[in-house]
Amino acid sequence: MIIKDFSLRIEENTLKKLHYIADSEDRSVNKELLRLIRRHIAEYEKKHGEIPLHEGKDTEP
């Protein structure tokens, strides 16, 4: 698996709340974000079907 870095712009209060949630679940903010993203993708794919991935290019809707 290739790991990519990604920058995120986020409001300060939202980030503070995310830190609070992550800390309460004994996770880093990065791990909490990955968990939320994976859950969202799974819910999307359950409703719309698997998202096709094409090597070498980003997938567009």
Side-chain angles (χ1 to χ4, degrees), residues 44 50-54 56-61:
Y44 181 94
E50 187 173 347
I51 298 169
L53 299 179
H54 305 286
K57 53 179 152 174
D58 293 332
T59 303
E60 295 183 20

Side-chain angles (χ1 to χ4, degrees), residues 6-8 13 16 19 26 31-32 34 38 40 43 45 51 56-57:
F6 176 78
S7 294
L8 175 68
N13 286 340
K16 286 179 180 180
H19 272 282
D26 200 28
K31 291 285 185 188
E32 185 66 19
L34 285 172
R38 288 176 179 141
H40 184 65
E43 289 172 4
E45 288 184 324
I51 298 169
K57 53 179 152 174

Side-chain angles (χ1 to χ4, degrees), residues 6-31:
F6 176 78
S7 294
L8 175 68
R9 291 184 179 94
I10 187 170
E11 293 115 358
E12 184 178 4
N13 286 340
T14 302
L15 182 58
K16 286 179 180 180
K17 290 179 181 185
L18 183 58
H19 272 282
Y20 182 91
I21 294 168
D23 289 344
S24 73
E25 298 291 330
D26 200 28
R27 291 187 188 94
S28 67
V29 170
N30 186 72
K31 291 285 185 188

